[in-house]
Amino acid sequence: MALDYTHILPTGKKNAIPAKYLANKLMFKSTRALQADIAKARAEGQVICSSTTGGYYLPADRAEIEEFVAILKARACNTFVALKSAREALGQHPGQQSLDEFLNQ
């Protein structure tokens, strides 16, 4: 079970805490260990936003969640584009989701 970040992280993107600082504060051995715990917390249902420039935070409102979702979708699209060419080189496996299927969700 992951930490409960609802009592640790600040609310609002403008108050985000950098990963390195947060990892030290929470006594993780590395930022990767923190990232793994946050991934686990997200999988457990906690809504934890992050930005590449600010760090981790709890969303202040719906708009911050929507912005975070849009950023994640853009990252996923870029990953799918790279994956598409690699799969084409290998031949796509039956039953795997295509980029078009992902974008139309």
Side-chain angles (χ1 to χ4, degrees), residues 19-20 23 28-39 56:
K20 186 173 182 178
F28 281 97
K29 291 184 178 186
S30 65
T31 56
R32 287 191 186 269
L34 169 69
Q35 292 166 340
D37 195 61
I38 287 179
Y56 293 103

Side-chain angles (χ1 to χ4, degrees), residues 68-95:
F68 181 62
V69 167
I71 289 167
L72 290 180
K73 188 172 182 179
R75 286 183 195 164
C77 288
N78 288 335
T79 299
F80 267 104
V81 167
L83 189 58
K84 181 180 177 186
S85 63
R87 279 189 178 156
E88 287 173 356
L90 295 173
Q92 184 166 347
H93 301 300

Side-chain angles (χ1 to χ4, degrees), residues 6-28:
T6 60
H7 301 291
I8 298 169
L9 294 175
T11 300
K13 185 176 181 177
K14 67 181 179 185
N15 300 312
I17 298 177
K20 186 173 182 178
Y21 175 83
L22 188 60
N24 288 333
K25 179 180 175 186
L26 298 176
M27 297 174 22
F28 281 97

Side-chain angles (χ1 to χ4, degrees), residues 41-58:
R42 287 171 169 162
E44 293 170 0
Q46 294 183 52
V47 180
I48 301 168
C49 296
S50 60
S51 70
T52 56
T53 57
Y56 293 103
Y57 62 96
L58 300 175

